[in-house]
Amino acid sequence: MSERNERTGLGAGNVSGFLRVLAVDDEPPALDELAYHLRADPRVARLHTAGDATEALRVLRDGDVDVVFLDIRMPGLDGMELARVLRRFARPPAIVFVTAYDDGAVDAFDLGATDYVRKPVRAERLAESLRRVIGSRVVPSHPAALARTEEDPTIPIELAGTTRMLPRSAVRWVEAQGDYARLHTADGSHLVRVSLATLAERWADAGFVRIHRSYLVQLKLIAELRLVNSGYVVVIDGSELPVSRRHTRELKDKLVRAAKQDWTR
């Protein structure tokens, strides 16, 4: 095992650390900086480093880790491809992407990433990522925890230079804005770089339905389907959203089926 891949903790005297962490980056200066900040966090008990996916898989073969801090653009198997491999593990680690680019954020949330951190990394930002890892994976290998990750994926949201992971379950409805989508929640809205068509396809199994070329809504949250002068609208959280003619019949059928299922429970 290379010197850079040496398994290093915080020292025998530190008893507060409990997380086993793997940091992966093909650029030595970036890896060194990432490792420096992670070693300084008292929650990290043991740190492994790897310069590429092959080396990372060698580390993972030798023992379990709780979270992988993973660069995306690497030669050979890149970070996204490695993350897909890790998802197939019997006890997959949490994934935190660490990258200089923001064009992988959509794929990151599809893979169930816990966080998406932009370079250059800051100690306080990595500390927040570790907090999210601990919060989302109280017992990393527990089947119920893994099931929650699959059932309620998170969406990376950019806020003033910080990427926050928003649970899909918090989204009430989605509005198209060009090549972007605005996610509406109970307490605000967030713009993400993904098309409405893409979300409609990916979120169909989660109960989201297309009601208009510009709107995607959570079916179970529709309070009313109302006929107005220009056609139908649905009401969600007091907001009226238009239903296009081409989607009206399909929406009515889905609402009726959903109501029948509620009656027969």
Side-chain angles (χ1 to χ4, degrees):
M1 189 174 295
S2 70
E3 180 180 354
R4 195 171 57 187
N5 195 38
E6 180 181 1
R7 301 180 181 188
T8 307
L10 290 174
N14 190 328
V15 296
S16 62
F18 56 93
L19 285 175
R20 299 160 297 180
V21 180
L22 169 61
V24 187
D25 198 310
D26 66 304
E27 298 181 357
L31 182 60
D32 290 344
E33 181 181 19
L34 179 58
Y36 172 80
H37 290 305
L38 289 170
R39 287 193 183 103
D41 193 293
R43 292 164 294 188
V44 175
R46 180 164 294 181
L47 175 68
H48 312 256
T49 61
D52 55 34
T54 300
E55 194 174 1
L57 289 170
R58 190 178 302 123
V59 172
L60 292 163
R61 179 196 63 194
D62 293 341
D64 292 335
V65 301
D66 299 310
V67 54
V68 179
F69 283 79
L70 180 58
D71 187 24
I72 292 180
R73 299 192 180 182
M74 299 187 297
L77 199 68
D78 68 22
M80 290 293 178
E81 293 167 330
L82 177 57
R84 292 186 180 95
V85 172
L86 300 183
R87 287 191 68 184
R88 297 198 293 267
F89 280 26
R91 295 193 295 179
I95 300 293
V96 173
F97 287 107
V98 183
T99 177
Y101 308 93
D102 62 5
D103 56 1
V106 172
D107 290 332
F109 89 75
D110 273 350
L111 288 169
T114 302
D115 207 351
Y116 192 93
V117 178
R118 291 288 303 278
K119 294 179 180 177
V121 296
R122 296 177 289 111
E124 57 271 25
R125 185 65 183 86
L126 291 178
E128 171 65 14
S129 290
L130 290 171
R131 185 193 65 77
R132 293 177 185 178
V133 168
I134 294 167
S136 65
R137 299 167 66 89
V138 177
V139 182
S141 61
H142 195 285
L146 299 181
R148 283 194 299 272
T149 300
E150 293 296 323
E151 293 169 3
D152 192 14
T154 54
I155 305 100
I157 304 297
E158 291 290 337
L159 293 171
T162 297
T163 304
R164 182 168 68 88
M165 305 307 283
L166 177 74
R168 183 177 62 189
S169 60
V171 178
R172 319 287 284 181
W173 48 281
V174 185
E175 179 182 4
Q177 294 193 347
D179 294 330
Y180 290 73
R182 182 166 294 280
L183 310 180
H184 291 265
T185 66
D187 57 0
S189 67
H190 309 280
L191 196 65
V192 294
R193 187 180 296 179
V194 60
S195 70
L196 190 73
T198 298
L199 290 181
E201 179 182 351
R202 293 176 178 175
W203 291 6
D205 292 342
F208 284 84
V209 297
R210 193 79 174 261
I211 62 168
H212 188 277
R213 66 179 183 178
S214 298
Y215 294 98
L216 179 71
V217 305
Q218 175 56 267
L219 184 70
K220 66 182 180 182
L221 299 180
I222 295 177
E224 294 181 30
L225 176 62
R226 180 187 304 161
L227 180 63
V228 296
N229 293 335
S230 57
Y232 282 93
V233 298
V234 296
V235 179
I236 297 180
D237 294 341
S239 297
E240 294 187 355
L241 308 177
V243 181
S244 65
R245 290 183 179 179
R246 61 173 294 199
H247 290 101
T248 298
R249 180 176 295 277
E250 182 184 4
L251 177 61
K252 286 182 176 179
D253 290 344
K254 288 181 177 179
L255 286 170
V256 169
R257 287 198 299 270
K260 285 182 177 177
Q261 289 176 357
D262 289 339
W263 294 339
T264 57
R265 283 179 184 173

